[in-house]
Amino acid sequence: MKKHILPAIKLTLILIVFFAVIYPFAVWAIAQAAPNGGKGEIVTFKGKTYYSNIGQAFTDDHYFWSRPSAANYNAAGSAGSNKGPSNPLYLEEVKGRIDTFLVHNPGITKAEIPADLITASASGLDPHVSLQAAQVQVKRIAKIRNIPEADLKTLVNEHTEKPLLGLFGPAKINVLKLNIALDELASK
Amino acid sequence: MNTEIIAIIVMFLGTIALAIPLGKYIAQVFAGNKTIFDPVFNPIERLFYKLTGIDPKVEMSWKQHMAAMLTINMIWFLLGMLVLMTQGVLPLNPDQNPSMTADLAFNTVISFVVNCNLQHYSGETGVSYLGQYWLMFLQFVSAGTGMAAAVTLFRAFRDKTAIDLGNFYEYFIKSCTRILLPLSFAVAIVLAFQGTPMTFEGKDTIVNLQGDTVQVSRGPAAAFVAIKHIGTNGGGFFGTNSAHPFENPTYLSNMVEMAAQMIVPFAMIFAFGYFIKRRKLSWMMFAVMTVGFLMLAIPNIKMEMEGNPALTSMGIDQSLGAMEGKEIRIGAATSGFWSIVTTVISTGSVNSMHDSSMPLSGMNELLAMMINSFYGGAGVGILNFFIFIILAVFISGLMVGRTPEFLGKKIEAREMKIAMIIALIHPFLILISAGLATAFPAQGASTLNNPGFHGFSEILYEYTSSSANNGSGFEGLGDNTPWWNISTGIVLILSRFLPIIGPVAIAGLLAKKKFIPEGEGTLQTDTATFGILVFTVIIIVAALSFFPALTLGPIAEYFSMR
């Protein structure tokens, strides 16, 4: 074993230079051509900058709500609830979310509430909701913002991101982009 | 048809289609034949050898291989302790994250040295960028270690009778430079353009649209996430791993990451066939693994798509599936599929929170790691499977009353003893340590996030993941305590190095033996019949050892929800 020590130390040092310095810097150099220079994709609205991939908390009634989050949408960290499917406290929490949603959305029945609006995402930063989740909120927002429901439905449709190539993965809506468009529509 | 199901099928078949030529390439690399990357890597490797004084032409026996492997791993461990315990004062720390405590550093370094990547910290707050890059270095070299060990097995069965099994450093360096690096580089570029950050700047503070002030963690993640999958390591840059919208920003990135973690283990199986010129044997192995994999993956896709029955009974719309702990851009079906990909292969990266999986999905995730030989990690998967082949050869030898043989080599008492010890060490480590943690509630039960049967599953999962060198977790567990850090650390060391040394020892012993040409009475090991036999041995060993523990955890939870 002794005769291996010196070569192993030398090899380790060389490989550190190769894999932990040269490799990442090569990726970094190429990533300068990526959206926003590899610093995370952004959207700007009214002079302010937001990360389009990082979800934001939307709890006000005049915005489309995001999903519940175990990290409160503070991307200093990230967290799922890690609640097991049979955990009684968790099931109480979900019941509470359903009740809250029904109170804020008169005229909506329980069977119309999609699962994503009452369950916390894996990262706590999920930027998306399902199509159903946006559609089920149209009635509330139309009333509060005084915008015709048909216009909002068009807005939701315009912001629906289709599956990749129309074939792969779920359709989804970026809540931040939808709410920015909603603010723009309202200020017209 | 459901767009997620189409994506899963395309991605799975696409990965196999890519893995076959890659397997051929890997076989060429290790045989020392000409390959297209020679002009790039020959000079680089020559430089490595010159600077280190290593002569790649020196042949080593299996014992010398293991001595070289253990020595360099020890150096990585010592250096790693130093880096992680001082990272707070070292450069590249824009977020001023603290140095690790000794027990956390012990756990983290061991876990990355052994290719497990169990993480008892969160990337955003627990490591500096320097620390992250030290861990990324370990992701390369730990995968290279596993592959180098697998190649000694290749060599043992290619040469008719041999003591020398090639040079450890040569296999190790080639694995890192010629296989892991080009693949990681390609994946990293895709991820960077899909939106994974690649910046050395620290946290950004923003005021969101609704007016709340929040911070956004960033970092040089794209390079890290690529090797995390290519090397079947699985340790996340951010706390929530590939569920984090920076670590896995789109459905395309999800498909790429999923293929990236499967491709090297797949290719190693085909490489074995090309290397020893017995391609039918690798198809037998691949078929057995695939059947086992699909038997776990398909039920998980179905159960996650059906949603949580406890929520269904509340009367809400469950057409999206079980969305607790899942991301919308990934979806329930894809998350269910990934949960088995990442557990049969020893990756352990997650794109959904396994703690919130349906009870029997959780059981399948556990089973995948308990069996630990359907595909398996980079290099080590084939070593684990080899043990079951030896057991199956022995049993079939007993059944027909002949001395058991595999590829022209007699399997005798010594090899069988090693194979038995290695087959039993995995259940032994999991069950004993889970039993201990359960027996001391101050250490075990007090750290749980869920009550009842599911709580026991959290303990069982943590040790299963450690012993399988997987690294995923039922992450509700409050695992940054001295008990968890040290106990899982010990399990990690034993469950990494013994299952490497054991199979390599068997291969080394077999290689020395006289080659017996195939005759009429020789057991054919590349047939469907033998495949079924191997499969049966795997099921019996896993089912008998683990069924009681699974009954107390996920199975009890399942019936309690009916």
Side-chain angles (χ1 to χ4, degrees):
Chain A
M1 197 165 257
K2 228 190 242 163
K3 66 171 181 177
H4 293 297
I5 292 179
L6 210 58
I9 292 175
K10 286 186 196 161
L11 183 59
T12 300
L13 295 177
I14 293 168
L15 292 181
I16 287 174
V17 174
F18 199 67
F19 289 110
V21 181
I22 297 177
Y23 159 70
F25 274 101
V27 176
W28 176 83
I30 295 175
Q32 298 309 305
N36 193 30
K39 293 177 187 172
E41 287 179 31
I42 50 171
V43 283
T44 45
F45 176 59
K46 289 188 180 161
K48 282 206 273 182
T49 306
Y50 309 109
Y51 289 89
S52 56
N53 281 325
I54 298 293
Q56 298 190 356
F58 287 106
T59 46
D60 290 353
D61 277 347
H62 63 284
Y63 280 125
F64 285 95
W65 290 359
S66 308
R67 300 183 60 191
S69 159
N72 291 320
Y73 286 99
N74 187 350
S78 57
S81 73
N82 284 309
K83 292 284 172 30
S86 64
N87 185 332
L89 288 176
Y90 161 67
L91 296 175
E92 280 308 308
E93 209 179 334
V94 172
K95 274 196 191 121
R97 288 177 190 148
I98 296 176
D99 293 341
T100 310
F101 191 85
L102 290 174
V103 168
H104 287 262
N105 293 272
I108 299 294
T109 61
K110 249 190 198 181
E112 292 172 81
I113 305 177
D116 58 332
L117 278 180
I118 48 143
T119 51
S121 62
S123 62
L125 308 171
D126 196 341
H128 298 107
V129 290
S130 64
L131 315 191
Q132 301 94 301
Q135 282 153 358
V136 77
Q137 302 185 55
V138 161
K139 200 177 252 178
R140 178 191 80 227
I141 293 168
K143 205 165 159 202
I144 292 177
R145 295 235 184 191
N146 218 355
I147 301 173
E149 278 188 35
D151 290 5
L152 285 180
K153 278 182 185 154
T154 321
L155 193 73
V156 169
N157 284 336
E158 280 169 5
H159 282 82
T160 300
E161 297 170 24
K162 298 251 154 46
L164 179 65
L165 307 176
L167 281 175
F168 304 140
K172 58 195 184 292
I173 291 172
N174 185 307
V175 190
L176 173 65
K177 290 181 184 167
L178 179 64
N179 280 328
I180 288 177
L182 178 64
D183 273 356
E184 278 173 344
L185 183 75
S187 63
K188 260 178 204 165
Chain B
M1 204 166 152
N2 182 311
T3 49
E4 281 189 70
I5 304 288
I6 297 176
I8 290 168
I9 294 170
V10 168
M11 198 270 321
F12 184 61
L13 295 179
T15 309
I16 297 176
L18 288 173
I20 295 172
L22 180 64
K24 198 170 185 176
Y25 168 75
I26 292 176
Q28 303 282 7
V29 165
F30 290 121
N33 297 342
K34 268 209 178 99
T35 60
I36 48 161
F37 288 120
D38 283 355
V40 187
F41 290 117
N42 279 349
I44 294 176
E45 286 168 8
R46 266 200 299 274
L47 183 71
F48 285 5
Y49 294 132
K50 205 175 143 196
L51 292 173
T52 55
I54 291 169
D55 181 359
K57 293 205 175 57
V58 174
E59 293 272 331
M60 296 180 174
S61 69
W62 73 266
K63 281 184 188 159
Q64 290 165 323
H65 265 275
M66 293 296 96
M69 185 271 285
L70 290 173
T71 309
I72 199 163
N73 272 266
M74 178 62 90
I75 285 164
W76 298 333
F77 169 74
L78 294 174
L79 200 52
M81 287 296 283
L82 189 71
V83 172
L84 293 184
M85 288 182 70
T86 55
Q87 61 175 3
V89 294
L90 296 178
L92 282 181
N93 190 9
D95 296 332
Q96 271 126 43
N97 290 336
S99 300
M100 283 191 182
T101 56
D103 58 312
L104 180 59
F106 169 75
N107 185 278
T108 307
V109 179
I110 287 293
S111 152
F112 278 78
V113 164
V114 306
N115 199 253
C116 174
N117 295 200
L118 203 64
Q119 293 172 294
H120 291 176
Y121 63 91
S122 275
E124 294 95 332
T125 51
V127 273
S128 68
Y129 293 161
L130 188 82
Q132 294 275 26
Y133 271 13
W134 168 256
L135 297 175
M136 186 181 76
F137 165 76
L138 291 179
Q139 293 186 327
F140 272 103
V141 295
S142 64
T145 301
M147 293 172 74
V151 180
T152 57
L153 181 87
F154 290 15
R155 271 292 294 269
F157 290 108
R158 188 189 66 179
D159 304 342
K160 296 276 184 255
T161 301
I163 292 176
D164 295 332
L165 298 174
N167 185 289
F168 167 78
Y169 297 109
E170 187 195 358
Y171 295 161
F172 164 69
I173 290 173
K174 278 182 167 175
S175 304
C176 294
T177 53
R178 294 178 185 233
I179 297 159
L180 299 171
L181 182 70
L183 289 170
S184 301
F185 194 71
V187 171
I189 301 300
V190 174
L191 291 177
F193 281 85
Q194 285 296 303
T196 302
M198 190 65 205
T199 170
F200 289 89
E201 290 176 23
K203 285 188 172 74
D204 194 7
T205 304
I206 60 165
V207 180
N208 70 19
L209 191 59
Q210 204 180 254
D212 311 322
T213 305
V214 294
Q215 287 187 309
V216 177
S217 273
R218 296 178 296 176
F224 186 101
V225 180
I227 179 60
K228 143 188 155 187
H229 284 116
I230 290 293
T232 69
N233 297 279
F237 191 91
F238 299 102
T240 49
N241 211 299
S242 280
H244 194 290
F246 271 163
E247 196 145 341
N248 191 359
T250 62
Y251 198 81
L252 179 66
S253 71
N254 189 70
M255 288 177 84
V256 169
E257 289 181 24
M258 203 144 46
Q261 58 184 304
M262 291 193 284
I263 193 155
V264 173
F266 282 17
M268 283 300 278
I269 299 160
F270 296 118
F272 184 45
Y274 282 113
F275 195 86
I276 64 168
K277 300 203 169 57
R278 283 173 186 271
R279 295 186 54 195
K280 232 181 122 189
L281 181 69
S282 44
W283 277 107
M284 182 282 287
M285 294 168 72
F286 192 76
V288 170
M289 292 171 169
T290 303
V291 169
F293 167 70
L294 293 177
M295 282 172 70
L296 295 167
I298 293 170
N300 270 34
I301 296 172
K302 186 165 172 288
M303 287 184 284
E304 296 305 317
M305 283 174 80
E306 278 169 0
N308 184 346
L311 298 196
T312 310
S313 65
M314 291 178 193
I316 55 143
D317 174 12
Q318 284 264 68
S319 55
L320 290 167
M323 290 311 292
E324 183 71 34
K326 293 198 181 60
E327 301 280 299
I328 286 291
R329 70 187 175 287
I330 296 164
T334 315
S335 299
F337 181 71
W338 175 304
S339 75
I340 293 300
V341 170
T342 193
T343 44
V344 290
I345 294 167
S346 73
T347 321
S349 64
V350 295
N351 69 359
S352 68
M353 292 299 119
H354 288 188
D355 216 346
S356 301
S357 302
M358 292 305 102
L360 294 186
S361 301
M363 179 184 78
N364 285 350
E365 291 154 11
L366 280 162
L367 263 175
M369 296 185 288
M370 288 164 170
I371 291 166
N372 203 22
S373 55
F374 293 151
Y375 307 131
V380 290
I382 217 162
L383 296 178
N384 289 333
F385 194 81
F386 175 64
I387 292 293
F388 287 109
I389 290 185
I390 296 291
L391 294 181
V393 165
F394 183 73
I395 290 169
S396 46
L398 288 183
M399 287 199 289
V400 295
R402 280 178 56 100
T403 315
E405 281 169 23
F406 179 59
L407 301 179
K409 303 285 184 168
K410 279 203 172 107
I411 314 267
E412 290 168 305
R414 201 159 163 210
E415 293 84 55
M416 273 314 294
K417 275 184 207 154
I418 301 173
M420 282 312 299
I421 291 170
I422 301 304
L424 293 177
I425 194 123
H426 184 54
F428 178 83
L429 286 172
I430 295 171
L431 297 173
I432 297 294
S433 47
L436 280 176
T438 314
F440 299 108
Q443 313 297 344
S446 67
T447 58
L448 302 179
N449 189 40
N450 287 286
F453 306 121
H454 195 89
F456 175 70
S457 301
E458 287 182 342
I459 294 178
L460 185 64
Y461 197 106
E462 187 71 3
Y463 286 115
T464 307
S465 174
S466 307
S467 186
N469 279 191
N470 183 273
S472 63
F474 272 14
E475 286 299 341
L477 189 72
D479 48 19
N480 184 14
T481 64
W483 167 272
W484 284 113
N485 284 336
I486 295 167
S487 69
T488 54
I490 294 168
V491 170
L492 285 167
I493 299 174
L494 294 174
S495 62
R496 164 74 165 182
F497 293 109
L498 297 180
I500 286 183
I501 297 170
V504 170
I506 296 177
L509 293 172
L510 291 182
K512 269 191 253 178
K513 293 187 185 187
K514 216 173 78 197
F515 180 79
I516 309 156
E518 281 186 20
E520 261 182 29
T522 307
L523 174 74
Q524 299 294 327
T525 49
D526 52 6
T527 58
T529 319
F530 186 73
I532 293 168
L533 192 72
V534 177
F535 189 78
T536 315
V537 170
I538 292 174
I539 296 305
I540 290 172
V541 170
L544 284 185
S545 334
F546 293 112
F547 187 69
L550 291 173
T551 314
L552 291 175
I555 296 177
E557 188 186 11
Y558 172 75
F559 283 110
S560 73
M561 287 177 77
R562 304 241 86 194

